[in-house]
Amino acid sequence: MDNIPTHIIQRDPDQKEFLQAVSELLETVQPVLDRNPEYRSQAILERITEPERAITFRVPWMDDQGRVQVNRGFRVEMNSAIGPYKGGLRFHPSVTLSIIKFLAFEQVFKNSLTTLQMGGGKGGADFDPKGRSDTEVMRFCQAFMTELCRHIGPNTDVPAGDIGVGAREIGYLFGMYKKIRNEFTGVITGKGLNWGGSLIRPQATGYGMVYFAAEMLAENSDSLEGKNFLVSGAGNVAQYTTEKVLQLGGRVLTLSDSSGYIYDEEGIDAEKLQHVMQLKNIRRARIREYCEKYPNATYTEVDPELDHNPLWNHTADCAMPCATQNEINGQDAQHLLNNGVGLVCEGANMPCTHEAINIFIQNNILYGPGKAANAGGVAVSGLEMSQNSMRLAWSQDEVDNHLRRIMQSIHTTCLDASHAYGLSKNYLAGANIAGFVKVVNAMIDQGLV
Ligand code: NDP
C-alpha cells in the first residue's frame, strides 16, 4: 500500500480490498504517470479512485417463515468515461462496500481492454442465496430491484451476474425491473436465451479465460494439450473453464467450493463435469458429493483459517483460480512454484495476493491477470447489449468467434503496452497500462466532470 498517496488512503482507511486493487494498479502505471505529467496536474489518481456515485440501500424482505429480513444493497458507479456503467452483481454474505469498490475499480480497466464502449460499475448485497428457497430468492431479488431500478437503465448502468447471481437471480431481477418501469429493454445482461440473452454468455468468462491462456502459451510455442490443471471454484466460471480446457486437450484435476475441494487424479472428464453442473446448478449441493459418484476422487475439507489452501499444493502444469479474491497467497504461490506450475491465469477477480503475484513474476511463471484474462464475460455482455439494441440474435459460432477475437486482441494489447514501456511480456503491467491510458485520456477529453 506504500505506493498509494496518503490522502487516498485516509479517505477510506478500512477498505482493504479496494486499497489492494488501487495499489496493484499504481505499482504498474507509475511509468505512464511519469511520461504524462498532465495526468498528475489533472488529478487523475484522485478522480479515478473516487466513484462517480456509490449507492447503498436497505433491502427488506420476508422469508418463508414470515420473518422480516434486512440486507444491505450496493451499486458503485465507478467510471463512465468510455460508456455506460457495466459490471455484475454479487450476492454473498462477505459483501461490503470495500469489496464492491475493488470490483468496480477493476471493472473499469477490464471493460476498457475489451475495446467495447462500457464504463465500470459493480453492485450486490450481503445476502446469502445458499440454503434459501426459490421463493425467498425471488422475494429478495424483487426487493433489491425495487431500489436498484432507480439507478440503472440500458444507456446508464447495465448490471449482470457475479458470485451468487446466476440465471435464476437474473430472471427475477429483470422481471421486477420490467414490471416497475413498464419497459422491456437490455438493462441487464446474462438474460435467458428466449428473452434477450446472448448465446455463449454463460460460457464466456471461462471460455475467454482459457482462450487467453492458450494465447499466452502459443506466444511461447506451447499449448494446453496434455497439460494438468488445478481449477478452484465450482460455479459458472470454474465449470466453463473446465469445459474449454477439456475441449483443448487439457486435464482438470480439482474443483472446489467454500467448504473444500475434490481431487480427481483420473481427471474431470465431460461426463463428470455434467454431473458437477447438475450438482451445483440444479441441486445446489456441495462439491463433496462428487466423491459419492466417483469414489476414486478425494475430498478435502478446507479450514478458512489455515494459512494456505491445500488445493494449490498438487503437482500440475497450470493453475486457474476461479472462486474468489485473495484465494492464492504467498505460501500457495510458493507451493505452485515448487510443484512445477508454469502458468497461472485468473478466472476470478483479484484471486492472487500481491505477494503471490510477485512470486509468479519473479520466477517467470506466465501470469494472466483477471482484468485481462476474465474479460470475456463482460465482452459478451457488451455483445448482448448490441444484439438487444438491434433486436436480433447472433448464432453461437458468431458470438464465439467474436469472443475469441476479443481475447486475442486483449492479449496483443497487453503485450504491446508492456513492450511500449520496456517491460518484456509482463501481462499485469500491460493490462493495467492499456486499460488505464484509454480511460484517462477519455476523462481528460471530457473535462472536469
Ligand atoms: P459462482 O457463484 O457461480 O461460483 C463461485 C464459486 O466460488 C462457488 O463454487 C463458491 O463456493 C466459490 N466461492 C465463493 N466465495 C468463496 C470463498 N469466500 N471461499 C471459497 N470459495 C468461494 O460465481 P462465478 O463463477 O460467477 O464467479 C467466480 C469468480 O469469477 C468471482 O471472483 C467473480 O467475480 C469472477 N468473475 C465472474 C464473471 C462472470 O461472468 N460470472 C466475470 C468475471 C469474473 P460456494 O458455492 O460454497 O459459495
Side-chain angles (χ1 to χ4, degrees), residues 43-347:
I44 281 301
L45 287 190
E46 288 72 9
R47 288 160 65 191
I48 213 159
T49 52
E50 186 63 23
E52 290 179 15
R53 197 172 294 104
I55 304 142
T56 67
F57 50 96
R58 179 173 68 198
V59 189
W61 58 284
M62 196 165 279
D63 68 17
D64 285 347
Q65 283 69 46
R67 285 186 304 246
V68 174
Q69 302 280 346
V70 181
N71 286 95
R72 182 172 289 172
F74 301 89
R75 186 70 185 167
V76 171
E77 298 180 333
M78 199 78 197
N79 193 299
S80 61
I82 59 170
Y85 311 107
K86 179 89 197 83
L89 298 171
R90 176 176 292 191
F91 290 169
H92 194 272
S94 65
V95 162
T96 59
L97 184 58
S98 170
I99 288 192
I100 299 297
K101 272 178 70 179
F102 114 65
L103 289 164
F105 186 72
E106 293 262 299
Q107 195 81 44
V108 172
F109 309 106
K110 180 189 306 190
N111 293 2
S112 162
L113 286 171
T114 64
T115 70
L116 304 175
Q117 287 190 318
M118 298 182 290
K122 202 86 186 191
D126 60 354
F127 168 72
D128 190 357
K130 266 203 278 307
R132 292 290 179 190
S133 68
D134 285 352
T135 47
E136 287 180 315
V137 171
M138 181 178 75
R139 282 197 295 275
F140 175 80
C141 289
Q142 292 178 339
F144 182 83
M145 184 51 82
T146 305
E147 172 63 31
L148 186 70
C149 74
R150 301 168 205 271
H151 310 287
I152 61 175
N155 296 311
T156 316
D157 184 352
V158 184
D162 190 81
I163 291 179
V165 179
R168 172 182 61 171
E169 290 76 14
I170 293 288
Y172 295 148
L173 290 162
F174 181 80
M176 197 61 182
Y177 179 89
K178 181 168 63 76
K179 181 179 170 73
I180 297 174
R181 300 288 283 260
N182 195 25
E183 57 180 34
F184 193 113
T185 55
V187 68
I188 296 187
T189 57
K191 299 185 288 298
L193 274 184
N194 53 357
W195 43 279
S198 173
L199 283 159
I200 302 283
R201 175 59 190 95
Q203 293 87 345
T205 306
Y207 278 20
M209 194 260 285
V210 179
Y211 290 148
F212 190 89
E215 290 295 314
M216 292 167 78
L217 289 165
E219 185 69 25
N220 288 274
S221 311
D222 202 352
S223 79
L224 276 78
E225 185 83 43
K227 292 201 164 40
N228 286 323
F229 287 73
L230 304 177
V231 175
S232 65
N236 172 274
V237 179
Q239 291 171 14
Y240 289 108
T241 291
T242 302
E243 186 164 277
K244 189 50 77 178
V245 166
L246 296 183
Q247 286 170 8
L248 297 185
R251 220 156 63 111
V252 174
L253 305 176
T254 59
L255 284 172
S256 70
D257 59 25
S258 50
S259 311
Y261 76 97
I262 55 115
Y263 177 81
D264 188 338
E265 199 170 14
E266 295 160 5
I268 300 163
D269 60 18
E271 184 212 301
K272 293 172 179 175
L273 177 61
Q274 276 310 312
H275 180 61
V276 171
M277 290 179 173
Q278 173 81 16
L279 273 182
K280 295 307 271 185
N281 307 349
I282 314 280
R283 292 188 37 223
R284 301 185 191 277
R286 308 307 294 158
I287 196 70
R288 75 170 73 88
E289 288 191 28
Y290 179 95
C291 299
E292 291 171 13
K293 185 153 174 158
Y294 305 109
N296 288 344
T298 56
Y299 172 73
T300 307
E301 194 93 19
V302 178
D303 176 357
E305 299 304 317
L306 205 64
D307 58 2
H308 69 284
N309 184 340
L311 186 157
W312 306 118
N313 200 2
H314 290 276
T315 303
D317 305 294
C318 305
M320 296 186 155
C322 297
T324 193
Q325 63 275 355
N326 292 328
E327 54 172 315
I328 297 186
N329 63 20
Q331 206 176 136
D332 298 316
Q334 198 58 52
H335 288 151
L336 291 171
L337 182 68
N338 297 345
N339 285 318
V341 166
L343 175 141
V344 177
C345 206
E346 297 182 339

